[in-house]
Amino acid sequence: LTEQFDQIRTMMNKKWQGKYIAYFQANSNTYAPTEKIISMTKEVLQLSDVVGIAISTRPDCISASTADYLSELSDRTYLTVELGLQTIHDDISRRLNRCHTYSDFLYAVDILDKRGINIGAHIIDGLPGETEEDMYDTVRALSRLPLHSIKIHLLHILKNTRLADEYSAGDFDVLSLEDYVRIVTHQLRLLPPEMVIGRLTGDGARDELIAPLWSLKKFVVMNEIDKLMAAKGYMQGDLYEG
């Protein structure tokens, strides 16, 4: 972990220098026994300039004992636990072989919130079989939960995946840039004005990405969202229902 952190810090220091939040991003980082989670977090908190931790995991990988430890950790440092929900619609999750349910997500949110832990959620727009209204329903549901932050992603089609085979067969299509910008803009309006927006888009590895190729221009996507919000006079939360 120390080696990984130092490699990324060296790269980031070319642009920014300061304090760091150690991000356990890849894989399900609460799946291991609690003892291993304790060991990993202890190691990174001893690194210089680390002022907090963000832990990404699956909704069905949060046990009561793990949540108890995370509560202790949250008392000692800044902590956010990010849950990969993607959609509230279980039929879509089953199609994607997610192997967890929206109920699993709600359980994880409940046990983390009761322990005073910052909670983030990840969603993906453009999933096969989802309508635009389905995507808005996901955000409406999350807006009523005690979430600290949200990260909005778009569906990527990567080489050598089952999803790529379905896409090639014409089973579904990906969102256009214009559609994605419109959808995300409306989602921002539905979210609470105080919710932290951790991500508005993402970019797949260039040598693995099949579609949508426009996603490679991340700053173009973010700028188009900004431009639409400004042109229409929209604000985050101006359609929030509370």
Side-chain angles (χ1 to χ4, degrees), residues 36-75:
K36 184 172 182 179
I37 299 170
I38 293 172
S39 174
M40 292 190 302
T41 54
K42 181 178 179 181
E43 179 178 348
V44 298
L45 284 177
Q46 292 175 342
L47 300 175
S48 62
D49 297 325
V50 171
V51 295
I53 293 177
I55 298 176
S56 181
T57 191
R58 287 172 55 94
D60 55 348
C61 290
I62 299 287
S63 66
S65 62
T66 297
D68 286 341
Y69 169 67
L70 294 175
S71 177
E72 296 174 17
L73 184 64
S74 182
D75 290 338

Side-chain angles (χ1 to χ4, degrees), residues 3-234:
E3 181 180 349
Q4 292 179 50
F5 182 84
D6 285 340
Q7 288 175 351
I8 299 300
R9 175 164 52 186
T10 299
M11 182 174 64
M12 291 294 101
N13 278 347
K14 296 177 182 178
K15 294 183 178 181
W16 306 285
Q17 295 185 10
K19 305 298 183 180
Y20 300 90
I21 295 175
Y23 189 16
F24 290 82
Q25 181 179 21
N27 304 310
S28 299
N29 291 287
T30 58
Y31 182 68
T34 304
E35 293 74 18
K36 184 172 182 179
I37 299 170
I38 293 172
S39 174
M40 292 190 302
T41 54
K42 181 178 179 181
E43 179 178 348
V44 298
L45 284 177
Q46 292 175 342
L47 300 175
S48 62
D49 297 325
V50 171
V51 295
I53 293 177
I55 298 176
S56 181
T57 191
R58 287 172 55 94
D60 55 348
C61 290
I62 299 287
S63 66
S65 62
T66 297
D68 286 341
Y69 169 67
L70 294 175
S71 177
E72 296 174 17
L73 184 64
S74 182
D75 290 338
R76 290 187 279 115
T77 190
Y78 174 84
L79 174 68
T80 295
V81 177
E82 300 178 2
L83 303 174
L85 171 64
Q86 321 314 351
T87 176
I88 66 169
H89 303 287
D90 286 343
D91 57 331
I92 303 299
S93 292
R94 284 191 295 271
R95 178 172 177 176
L96 295 172
N97 199 33
R98 288 289 301 172
C99 298
H100 67 75
T101 65
Y102 182 45
S103 293
D104 293 327
F105 174 81
L106 292 177
Y107 171 77
V109 168
D110 182 60
I111 63 174
L112 292 171
D113 179 58
K114 286 179 177 176
R115 291 163 173 80
I117 298 169
N118 291 324
I119 308 165
H122 290 242
I123 63 171
I124 297 177
D125 288 333
L127 295 174
E130 277 206 322
T131 66
E132 191 167 321
E133 194 60 33
D134 289 335
M135 300 177 216
Y136 299 147
D137 284 343
T138 289
V139 167
R140 289 190 187 98
L142 296 185
S143 73
R144 295 188 288 269
L145 298 176
L147 299 180
H148 167 264
S149 62
I150 188 170
K151 291 186 176 179
I152 303 174
H153 304 257
L154 70 153
L155 181 70
H156 291 115
I157 311 300
L158 302 180
K159 295 177 181 178
N160 302 316
T161 63
R162 193 176 75 181
L163 204 61
D165 294 338
E166 294 179 8
Y167 177 71
S168 297
D171 293 345
F172 67 94
D173 203 356
V174 294
L175 295 173
S176 67
L177 172 59
E178 294 74 17
D179 286 342
Y180 185 74
V181 168
R182 186 188 70 257
I183 290 168
V184 171
T185 296
H186 192 67
Q187 288 175 322
L188 291 174
R189 301 181 69 200
L190 294 169
L191 290 168
E194 71 276 7
M195 184 177 287
V196 175
I197 310 299
R199 178 180 289 274
L200 290 173
T201 184
D203 49 346
R206 186 177 295 270
D207 59 346
E208 296 180 3
L209 183 67
I210 295 175
L213 294 179
W214 56 259
S215 66
L216 292 171
K217 299 179 180 179
K218 183 186 295 185
F219 286 106
V220 170
V221 181
M222 293 189 292
N223 287 340
E224 289 300 312
I225 293 170
D226 285 341
K227 285 163 58 178
L228 182 57
M229 295 282 283
K232 297 291 187 179
Y234 296 153

